[in-house]
């Protein structure tokens, strides 16, 4: 295999991994605060269509991304109001958000089908970004570097900052956090908003970088992979990064292997691999004596402060 | 899950105001109720979009005399059975199920609802109240293959394929055989993505094929994502099911267009005339059910002329891409001379020489 092909494979893997990583980072923070939002797919689609529409209209990718993140956050706030304020069932509301997102993104996106925009490509000078070897470092969309920075940012936030500690406390023991005076609902609102913004960013990656086009259900189920990834990573950002690239590799290496003329595993099995890996990790976690890796204790439990 | 899709609701609302169904016109005959089960979203700009254009053609033709229902995004398999049964229960007279994977579910429901007429696209199982219909897409593939044979510099074309069913297999073979008539060393590198519609995966598949030396991409999947990749990388591609030029004005060479309108009109008319019978219809260029999108300016005039000549040959029967001798992948002669029959094509499970899959 020549090094151009290896570089191209690496770049495809990172390309396929980045949106999952972004969405999963958001969901990780949401789940750490004790909320389960199954609406990632829907929020991503809203982000994808809004990002595409704004970029097409204004010609500014950054503006498209910002407004897309805002739109996804708005849809996440709808979820937050239903589940946190009205204490609706989180699983059902999250699924409803996904269905809502699929529907409204198709409706909003109808005028934009068949339109094209410029790809949101690397900001590095062409001598680096299109260099045959160096492009493996410089050739990505800015969103790829943003996703890496955000991974470290989230990791630092959860481990080292006071706010991160409060967020984890809310997720592990809402009643204790409440009794020492923290606003459980407020913290969770903030976490869900962050999750929405990240899903919007992930959606933009599809419609501005990966394909770049809008068509209905553009994300084709990647939101569920992001959800599985959070569990796979055992709610740890560093492992999330590795997991995202592993899942991305599983999804794309198959294509490269088959295009090169050899096939080593049934494609159906390969498609199921992220989910299988998640189940295996879950089983391993539950086998461990220490519960240090397990899910946040209050995950998906509605919180009603006693008055 | 999406029985009542948003567009469906909007359209029925718009249509309802004109329909005699609501009792505004007591004199008109009850409209023929026609339902369509779609695989993807209408906005795929491909397969499902083409069926929707066919439905629109029928509405334009019959107006108030028919009332139509659509259900989008119906997964193949057990889920579709539920949808089809519900449409039958709702009193539809004629139900079109527009994808191969609806074959067994359609048959099952057809056996239960003897008074309802069913039409299944691209399948091979029939019943007294279940007809099948298909288009000779391989005729269009032969033309794309001819163009690819001329236009490919590397002699290798990437083919993004969905599932190894006869329809897809014969398309791959027709494309390759036609291209080999121009360039005997022509290779088709087939990549299965195991989905009809997955834009990110189709884009990645295009990249993988290009990395392996393909300079033209053609596809049997429904999204325009691969075209966008080719546009970005200044390569060439063929669209799928409908004219996809707007997605990739430079890269889009042409596309096979599925024009279902004439067939839908014909069958609905037969229901109205009470002459509907179960049948197996397989139309092509001749009947106008397969057509080509406008040729890209980048295709030289002599190549366009050749493509048009082949099209004329297909229509008058003088050209058939499946004319012997044909060898399969292992080099074994599958057909020494003559032509493959429709039966051979519809059960095709082998690839011609030059296909890498």
């Amino acid at each position: 295999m020549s090094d151009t092909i290896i570089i191209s494979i690496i770049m495809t893997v990172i390309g396929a991994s980045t949106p999952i990583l972004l969405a999963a980072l958001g969901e990780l923070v949401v789940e750490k605060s004790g909320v389960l939002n199954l609406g990632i797919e829907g929020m991503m689609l809203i982000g994808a269509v809004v990002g595409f529409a704004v970029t097409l209209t204004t010609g500014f990718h950054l503006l498209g991304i910002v407004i897309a993140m805002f739109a996804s956050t708005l849809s996440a706030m709808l979820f937050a109001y239903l589940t946190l304020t009205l204490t609706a069932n989180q699983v059902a509301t999250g699924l409803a958000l996904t269905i809502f997102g699929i529907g409204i993104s198709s409706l909003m996106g109808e005028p934009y089908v068949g339109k094209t925009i410029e790809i949101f490509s690397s900001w590095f000078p062409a001598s680096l970004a299109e260099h045959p070897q160096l492009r493996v470092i410089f050739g990505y969309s800015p969103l790829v570097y943003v996703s890496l920075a955000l991974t470290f940012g989230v990791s630092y936030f959860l481990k080292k900052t006071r706010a991160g500690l409060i967020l984890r406390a809310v997720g592990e023991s809402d009643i204790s956090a409440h009794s020492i005076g923290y606003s459980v609902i407020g913290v969770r609102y903030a976490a869900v908003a962050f999750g929405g913004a990240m899903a919007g960013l992930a959606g933009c990656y599809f419609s501005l970088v990966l394909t770049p086009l809008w068509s209905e259900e553009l994300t084709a189920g990647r939101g569920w992979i992001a959800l599985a990834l959070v569990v796979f990573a055992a709610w740890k950002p560093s492992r999330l990064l590795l997991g995202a690239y592993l899942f991305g590799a599983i999804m794309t290496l198959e294509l490269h292997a088959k295009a090169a003329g050899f096939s080593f595993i049934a494609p159906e099995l390969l498609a199921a691999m992220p989910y299988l890996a998640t189940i295996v990790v879950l089983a391993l976690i539950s086998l461990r004596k220490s519960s240090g890796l397990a899910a946040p204790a209050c995950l998906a439990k509605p919180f009603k402060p006693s008055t | 899950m999406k029985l009542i899709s948003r567009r469906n609701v909007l359209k029925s609302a718009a249509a309802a105001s004109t329909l005699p169904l609501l009792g505004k016109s007591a004199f008109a005959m009850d409209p023929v109720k026609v339902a369509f089960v779609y695989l993807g979203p209408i906005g795929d700009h491909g397969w499902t979009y083409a069926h929707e254009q066919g439905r629109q053609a029928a509405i334009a033709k019959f107006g108030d005399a028919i009332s139509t229902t659509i259900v989008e995004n119906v997964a193949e398999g057990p889920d579709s059975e539920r949808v089809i049964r519900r449409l039958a229960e709702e009193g539809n007279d004629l139900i079109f199920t527009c994808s191969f994977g609806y074959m067994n579910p359609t048959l099952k429901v057809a056996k239960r609802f003897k008074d309802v007429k069913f039409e299944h696209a691209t399948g091979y199982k029939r019943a007294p109240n279940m007809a099948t219909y298909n288009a000779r897409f391989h005729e269009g593939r032969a033309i794309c293959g001819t163009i690819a044979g001329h236009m490919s510099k590397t002699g290798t074309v990437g083919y993004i394929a969905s599932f190894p069913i006869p329809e897809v297999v014969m398309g791959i073979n027709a494309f390759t055989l036609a291209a080999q008539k121009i360039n005997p060393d022509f290779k088709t590198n087939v990549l299965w993505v195991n989905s009809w519609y997955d834009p990110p995966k189709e884009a990645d598949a295009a990249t993988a094929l290009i990395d392996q030396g393909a300079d033209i991409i053609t596809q049997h999947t429904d999204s325009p994502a691969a075209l966008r990749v080719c546009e970005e990388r200044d390569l060439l591609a063929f669209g799928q099911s409908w004219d996809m030029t707007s997605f990739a004005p430079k890269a889009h060479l042409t596309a096979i267009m599925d024009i279902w309108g004439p067939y839908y009109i014909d069958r609905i008319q037969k229901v109205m005339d009470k002459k509907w019978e179960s049948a197996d219809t397989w139309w092509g260029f001749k009947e106008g059910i397969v057509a080509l999108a406008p040729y890209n300016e980048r295709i030289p005039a002599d190549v366009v002329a050749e493509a048009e000549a082949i099209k004329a040959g297909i229509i008058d029967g003088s050209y058939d891409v499946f004319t012997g001798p044909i060898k399969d992948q292992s080099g074994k002669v599958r057909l020494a001379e003559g032509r493959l029959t429709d039966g051979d094509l519809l059960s095709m499970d082998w690839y011609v020489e030059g296909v890498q899959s």
Side-chain angles (χ1 to χ4, degrees):
Chain A
M1 235 193 289
S2 71
D3 53 342
T4 38
I5 289 185
I6 293 172
I7 284 172
S8 173
I9 290 175
I10 294 173
M11 294 189 71
T12 326
V13 169
I14 292 181
S17 312
T18 299
I20 316 173
L21 175 62
L22 286 167
L25 262 181
E27 181 67 13
L28 184 138
V29 172
V30 175
E31 293 191 12
K32 271 285 182 193
S33 81
V35 180
L36 180 67
N37 186 352
L38 295 182
I40 305 180
E41 182 84 358
M43 298 187 295
M44 283 207 308
L45 283 167
I46 291 174
V49 72
V50 171
F52 186 83
V54 173
T55 307
L56 181 74
T57 321
T58 64
F60 295 108
H61 291 98
L62 275 182
L63 188 67
I65 290 168
V66 169
I67 297 184
M69 288 170 76
F70 180 73
S72 298
T73 309
L74 215 61
S75 69
M77 284 298 95
L78 189 67
F79 169 85
Y81 179 71
L82 290 169
T83 56
L84 301 179
T85 306
L86 305 179
T87 62
N89 181 297
Q90 292 180 4
V91 172
T93 312
L95 290 173
L97 178 58
T98 288
I99 298 166
F100 169 73
I102 293 172
I104 195 150
S105 63
S106 309
L107 185 68
M108 292 195 298
E110 207 164 4
Y112 304 105
V113 173
K115 302 278 168 58
T116 56
I117 54 167
E118 247 179 73
I119 193 164
F120 186 43
S121 55
S122 178
W123 279 345
F124 290 104
S127 57
L128 289 176
E130 283 163 29
H131 186 277
Q133 274 86 41
L134 290 178
R135 70 192 178 109
V136 76
I137 301 168
F138 298 107
Y140 304 98
S141 164
L143 291 184
V144 171
Y145 308 104
V146 168
S147 74
L148 293 174
L150 279 167
T151 310
F152 293 111
V154 166
S155 178
Y156 180 82
F157 169 79
L158 287 176
K159 275 196 205 139
K160 305 277 179 185
T161 67
R162 191 177 162 77
L165 185 68
I166 296 169
L167 182 110
R168 281 188 291 143
V170 164
E172 293 297 340
S173 176
D174 45 10
I175 295 168
S176 321
H178 178 67
S179 60
I180 54 172
Y182 293 120
S183 165
V184 171
I185 300 294
V187 169
R188 287 185 176 172
Y189 258 98
V192 172
F194 178 74
M198 295 298 281
L201 195 58
C204 283
Y205 194 85
F206 285 105
S207 61
L208 302 185
V209 182
L210 208 52
T211 44
L213 54 87
W214 168 253
S215 72
E216 272 183 47
E217 288 176 53
L218 182 69
T219 55
R222 299 293 188 279
W224 303 109
I225 300 210
L227 206 62
L229 178 59
V230 177
V231 180
F232 177 83
W235 293 270
K236 281 186 184 323
S238 50
R239 219 182 280 186
L240 199 70
L241 185 68
L242 290 176
Y245 289 151
L246 183 69
F247 282 19
I250 291 172
M251 289 191 292
T252 49
L253 278 186
E254 170 217 1
L255 296 175
H256 282 275
K258 282 199 292 186
F262 51 95
S263 189
F264 45 91
I265 189 167
E268 292 81 3
L269 191 63
L270 215 50
M273 208 67 116
Y275 305 103
L276 288 177
T278 305
I279 293 171
V280 169
V281 168
L282 270 179
L284 289 177
I285 290 172
S286 63
L287 277 178
R288 287 200 176 199
K289 289 278 184 290
S290 71
S291 60
L293 287 172
C298 295
L299 189 60
K301 276 192 214 149
F303 176 69
K304 279 183 202 153
S306 47
T307 45
Chain B
M1 205 177 275
K2 294 179 66 191
L3 260 179
I4 305 172
S5 77
R6 57 271 156 208
R7 246 189 252 118
N8 202 346
V9 171
L10 292 176
K11 277 181 186 148
S12 352
S17 54
T18 58
L19 281 180
L21 185 68
L22 294 182
K24 281 184 184 164
S25 160
F27 303 104
M29 277 210 318
D30 274 350
V32 175
K33 288 183 77 179
V34 188
F36 294 83
V37 181
Y38 292 153
L39 176 67
I42 291 170
D44 67 356
H45 239 73
W47 177 257
T48 296
Y49 182 82
H51 282 280
E52 173 65 10
Q53 300 309 307
R55 181 180 79 104
Q56 296 294 345
I59 292 173
K61 162 90 179 166
F62 294 113
D64 290 354
I66 58 169
S67 87
T68 60
T69 312
I70 58 166
V71 188
E72 299 177 75
N73 283 311
V74 179
E76 295 180 330
D79 204 30
S80 62
E81 189 186 321
R82 189 176 50 76
V83 174
I84 298 163
R85 175 174 299 123
R86 215 187 110 175
L87 288 169
E89 281 165 355
E90 282 170 352
N92 284 292
D93 302 299
L94 182 60
I95 299 174
F96 291 95
T97 56
C98 307
S99 185
F100 180 79
Y102 301 149
M103 180 164 67
N104 291 327
T106 308
L107 188 65
K108 234 170 146 180
V109 180
K111 283 182 177 159
R112 285 272 312 278
F113 293 84
K114 301 279 187 204
D115 298 338
V116 181
K117 295 166 183 68
F118 295 85
E119 298 255 0
H120 175 240
T122 70
Y124 54 83
K125 290 187 182 169
R126 280 168 288 276
N129 62 332
M130 175 177 165
T132 53
Y133 63 106
N134 201 349
R136 293 177 180 270
F137 301 116
H138 60 275
E139 296 180 352
R141 299 269 171 204
I143 299 203
C144 294
T146 306
I147 296 170
H150 282 289
M151 303 288 289
S152 173
K153 292 191 184 72
T154 61
T156 301
V157 163
Y159 201 119
I160 304 171
S162 48
F163 297 98
I165 57 173
E167 182 201 335
V168 178
V169 173
M170 80 177 96
I172 293 167
N173 286 340
F175 180 86
T176 310
L177 286 173
Q180 283 170 349
K181 289 194 199 327
I182 313 299
N183 172 5
D185 298 327
F186 188 89
K187 299 254 181 304
T188 303
N189 195 356
V190 181
L191 189 47
W192 300 97
V193 294
N194 295 290
S195 172
W196 289 112
Y197 182 78
D198 186 335
K201 197 168 183 184
E202 289 169 47
D204 285 344
T207 309
L209 287 165
I210 293 165
D211 289 340
Q212 292 297 331
D215 60 351
I216 300 180
I217 299 289
T218 188
Q219 61 182 39
H220 207 137
T221 49
D222 297 340
S223 98
L227 279 162
R228 291 290 293 147
V229 172
C230 293
E231 183 83 357
E232 291 291 338
R233 297 179 67 157
D234 201 22
L235 296 170
L236 303 170
F238 293 100
Q240 168 75 4
S241 292
W242 205 257
D243 184 359
M244 292 182 170
T245 305
S246 61
F247 290 97
K250 284 189 304 201
H252 187 276
L253 289 168
T254 182
I256 301 165
M257 294 172 71
D258 317 346
I259 312 290
W260 297 108
Y263 181 75
Y264 288 154
I265 290 170
D266 179 68
R267 300 303 281 180
I268 294 169
Q269 187 66 52
K270 288 211 165 80
V271 171
M272 289 175 168
D273 301 344
K274 310 240 182 294
K275 283 185 183 151
W276 190 95
E277 281 176 349
S278 175
D280 175 26
T281 309
W282 204 18
W283 289 353
F285 273 127
K286 195 174 161 187
E287 294 83 4
I289 206 166
V290 175
L292 288 174
Y295 297 107
N296 192 307
E297 292 170 353
R298 291 168 79 167
I299 308 176
D302 56 330
V303 178
V304 170
E306 194 175 336
E308 284 295 304
I310 288 175
K311 189 172 151 190
I314 290 171
I315 292 172
D316 68 25
S318 61
Y319 179 97
D320 184 341
V321 72
F322 291 111
T323 305
I326 299 174
K327 285 187 195 165
D328 69 10
Q329 269 177 318
S330 63
K332 196 178 111 194
V333 177
R334 285 281 185 156
L335 179 72
E337 56 183 22
R339 294 174 176 191
L340 289 179
T341 64
D342 283 0
D344 294 336
L345 293 179
L346 289 169
S347 58
M348 194 173 249
D349 59 355
W350 50 275
Y351 301 99
V352 299
E353 203 172 29
V355 173
Q356 300 165 340
S357 72

